[in-house]
Amino acid sequence: MVSRVIPVEDFDLVIFGGTGDLARRKILPGLFRRYHSGQMPPGARIIGAARAAIDRKGYQKEVAAALEEFVPKGARSAETVKGFLESLDYVTIDATGDGGWKKLAGMLRANVVHAFYFSVAPSLFGALAERLHEHGCAGPSCRIVVEKPFGRDLESAQALNRTLRDHFDESQIYRIDHYLGKETVQNLMAVRFSNVLFEPLWNAQYIDHVQITVAETVGVDGRGAYYDKSGAMRDMVQNHLMQLLCLTAMEPPSRFDPDAVRDEKLKVIRALEPVDPEDIVRGQYTHPDKGMSYLEQVDDPDSITESYIAMKLAISNWRWAGVPFYLRTGKRLKARYSEIAIVFKDAPHSIFGQAQGRHRNVLTIRLQPNEGMDLFVTIKEPGPGGMRLVDVPLDMTFADALGPEVEDVPDAYERLIMDVIRGNQTLFMRGDEVEAAWTWTDPLIKGWTGRGDRPYLYESGSTGPEEAAMLLHSEGRRWREIRP
Ligand code: NAD
């Protein structure tokens, strides 16, 4: 496979929160991988900026430890680790005070891209934006990257947008949803919009329903206090699942460019119908071991926050009228499994008779594990015994189909950071998109909070509460299996 990577300009990337968990686990290992594969410009510099009173050497030591922990041995060498550490610098900084800012301003070079990654608590975003401005670092060509959560409701998201826009133009703001950086998610666009095979069938005439599943095996372990203020709706649906829904349902943009793509996604969110409370099932996990149930892991033993949610959505436009979109996500489920499944309608007439049962084409786009796609087609079961039908997958696991080079496919974070440096906002959420998502989400959350609806209980390691199955059973459909 010939590499056609778009080159990246020289840059100074400042990571506020450069000693934090996200920087250690994702951002720095991601940047290292780009360096290791020779796709970092030679003059690139990464400046950690955080509260810890350490110097450049101390930071290099911390980052070396993070690389050892989070980059597999086979994906690093002593030489590339050394070279990468050389590109690092560090400044002790106080987002809410003056400490460190003069030094940071003096470190930034002229004539290179300046990017500022806000990997700190969202309550500090405003302070960082102001300080950057005060210290002359917020030039018109710089970019800022902000992490989720982007607000906890419409009002807070609007306030955050206003704060950032006081100092930066929308074209400088990169709101990360790392799901958009996943290879398969982008492939969804490639498959839809560069094959004639799928797009003619991609509508209410041929599609029976769509299922989007993001299942996790982990619980809220250690993050209970934070998670309990959020829940599955805010933590997963409002952002990640909503983005998957948009890419599945949007109209073809005229070009693969930031505003054309984001305009189409926004139209999908705006076309979402309000959801009937009957079409939402929320759950909390229980566990036989003491201390492992949701309610034992959060501060409020009476919490009604959900660790699982399943819902049926309707998109009111010509393409999707009458096609339900079923979404579900939860913690402590049977397997770590995420997919988008497009379930096509039955053939209009079966010449093989009713005894052959129901057979449907299903296209699945698998996010994890083993990113790839499956197209289930119905064929004759081989061998004697008459005409027996069976559904088999035409499997395309990227790692098998594309050979060893696929190992080098960047992970979501490294791809997104490089897009920031290239100045490409296509895979980042625009401010109006985020606000539209909250506009749709807010009344639902207010509804169950106001009514005091208690989530159903489900066992850890199961597929979620049984009531979620009824969402589909009552309409003669069933959830796809959550497979290990
Ligand atoms: P963390 O608590 O591990 O790290 C926080 C960092 O912020 C530290 O480097 C600390 O020094 C710095 N910091 C705190 N107060 C500061 C101040 N006043 N001035 C300057 N620096 C200060 O947090 P984290 O888990 O790395 O998360 C960072 C951000 O990323 C948060 O917004 C979080 O919601 C988001 N996020 C994290 C994850 C994750 O997996 N950790 C995933 C998605 C989003």
Side-chain angles (χ1 to χ4, degrees):
M1 200 163 53
V2 182
S3 174
R4 279 173 293 157
V5 175
I6 302 167
V8 172
E9 291 173 64
D10 248 356
F11 62 85
D12 282 345
L13 169 67
V14 179
I15 309 175
F16 293 110
T19 58
D21 176 65
L22 185 68
R24 295 183 70 252
R25 275 191 314 113
K26 292 288 181 187
I27 305 172
L28 289 157
L31 286 162
F32 168 75
R33 277 173 51 108
R34 288 299 84 200
Y35 183 89
H36 183 74
S37 53
Q39 284 163 16
M40 197 91 111
R45 257 190 349 166
I46 298 156
I47 304 171
R51 267 193 311 200
I54 50 174
D55 59 7
R56 176 171 185 243
K57 275 223 147 55
Y59 190 56
Q60 286 172 322
K61 233 169 132 183
E62 282 202 11
V63 176
L67 298 184
E68 197 144 305
E69 193 175 350
F70 298 111
V71 179
K73 259 201 177 129
R76 55 184 151 92
S77 69
E79 195 190 331
T80 53
V81 169
K82 187 165 176 274
F84 180 73
L85 295 178
E86 277 304 309
S87 72
L88 298 179
D89 214 331
Y90 183 81
V91 54
T92 304
I93 214 152
D94 180 5
T96 53
D98 284 327
W101 286 96
K102 261 207 182 118
K103 183 173 172 197
L104 176 64
M107 282 168 136
L108 298 173
R109 296 168 298 170
N111 304 323
V112 297
V113 172
H114 292 168
F116 302 101
Y117 199 128
F118 291 10
S119 181
V120 295
S123 55
L124 294 175
F125 289 178
L128 285 180
E130 265 162 40
R131 295 285 177 294
L132 283 170
H133 193 75
E134 272 169 30
H135 292 273
C137 305
S141 62
C142 81
R143 290 133 212 193
I144 60 167
V145 185
V146 294
E147 265 298 334
K148 84 165 203 185
F150 201 87
R152 54 172 285 107
D153 53 22
L154 177 61
E155 202 183 325
S156 53
Q158 283 172 327
L160 199 46
N161 272 336
R162 274 197 300 273
T163 307
L164 297 180
R165 286 178 190 143
D166 276 348
H167 302 291
F168 300 95
D169 186 71
E170 179 64 36
S171 63
Q172 296 176 276
I173 306 172
Y174 290 72
R175 296 174 193 79
I176 282 219
D177 185 324
H178 72 273
Y179 270 53
L180 289 177
K182 287 182 185 280
E183 189 72 8
T184 355
V185 173
Q186 291 166 66
N187 237 315
L188 174 57
M189 286 187 273
V191 164
R192 279 195 63 192
F193 304 131
S194 58
N195 294 285
V196 291
L197 207 59
F198 297 109
E199 199 48 29
L201 306 180
W202 210 264
N203 55 50
Q205 199 180 342
Y206 294 101
I207 292 178
D208 179 75
H209 72 277
V210 175
Q211 296 186 19
I212 301 181
T213 300
V214 177
E216 297 179 286
T217 49
V218 292
V220 299
D221 328 86
R223 291 173 62 230
Y226 158 79
Y227 186 90
D228 200 44
K229 293 195 190 83
S230 162
M233 185 69 160
R234 287 192 173 98
D235 194 46
M236 298 297 290
V237 177
Q238 187 272 345
N239 38 63
H240 304 319
L241 275 82
M242 186 66 74
Q243 290 296 323
L244 300 182
L245 171 90
C246 286
L247 295 176
T248 307
M250 72 183 184
E251 295 299 314
S254 55
R255 287 175 306 282
F256 188 58
D257 88 13
D259 280 329
V261 172
R262 297 184 301 178
D263 285 347
E264 294 306 335
K265 288 197 293 167
L266 182 61
K267 284 185 210 162
V268 175
I269 304 175
R270 290 190 173 150
L272 283 174
E273 292 279 351
V275 186
D276 187 333
E278 297 277 300
D279 289 334
I280 302 178
V281 173
R282 298 185 313 125
Q284 276 176 350
Y285 58 80
T286 58
H287 197 283
D289 294 349
K290 198 165 168 1
M292 296 287 277
S293 291
Y294 181 80
L295 288 179
E296 294 171 306
Q297 295 189 319
V298 299
D299 295 339
D300 175 7
D302 267 338
S303 167
I304 61 163
T305 304
E306 73 285 352
S307 60
Y308 173 99
I309 189 165
M311 55 205 307
K312 177 179 143 184
L313 310 187
I315 301 173
S316 51
N317 61 23
W318 275 48
R319 186 186 284 266
W320 296 116
V323 179
F325 281 69
Y326 299 100
L327 270 49
R328 66 179 160 164
T329 180
K331 295 199 172 291
R332 279 270 161 79
L333 295 177
K334 186 177 164 191
R336 182 166 171 264
Y337 191 77
S338 302
E339 69 165 25
I340 302 168
I342 317 294
V343 182
F344 290 89
K345 289 190 169 168
D346 294 352
H349 166 69
S350 170
I351 63 167
F352 303 108
Q354 297 235 323
Q356 292 303 326
R358 171 176 263 188
H359 294 276
R360 285 178 159 179
N361 298 123
V362 181
L363 174 68
T364 66
I365 295 117
R366 206 166 49 241
L367 279 72
Q368 62 194 21
N370 308 325
E371 292 197 49
M373 293 191 188
D374 271 329
L375 177 62
F376 288 85
V377 293
T378 305
I379 60 162
K380 176 190 170 297
E381 200 174 317
M387 184 60 88
R388 285 172 290 121
L389 301 183
V390 61
D391 298 334
V392 293
L394 295 177
D395 181 349
M396 194 177 115
T397 299
F398 297 147
D400 297 343
L402 302 177
E405 290 90 344
V406 81
E407 300 278 321
D408 208 25
V409 165
D411 95 342
Y413 273 93
E414 47 189 295
R415 174 196 316 276
L416 292 173
I417 298 171
M418 289 303 126
D419 276 0
V420 173
I421 307 298
R422 291 190 187 100
N424 185 344
Q425 288 185 304
T426 311
L427 300 175
F428 296 83
M429 294 182 295
R430 209 169 52 190
D432 52 0
E433 225 184 304
V434 177
E435 290 183 15
W438 281 121
T439 303
W440 175 80
T441 315
D442 268 5
L444 305 179
I445 299 176
K446 280 194 185 120
W448 68 65
T449 315
R451 290 188 302 273
D453 292 351
R454 293 213 73 82
Y456 297 103
L457 299 179
Y458 63 96
E459 278 175 32
S460 283
S462 70
T463 56
E466 281 171 17
E467 289 74 7
M470 286 312 293
L471 268 185
L472 280 80
H473 280 189
S474 58
E475 299 176 339
R477 301 182 175 107
R478 54 172 48 221
W479 287 112
R480 289 173 48 75
E481 196 190 342
I482 294 178
R483 282 176 287 156

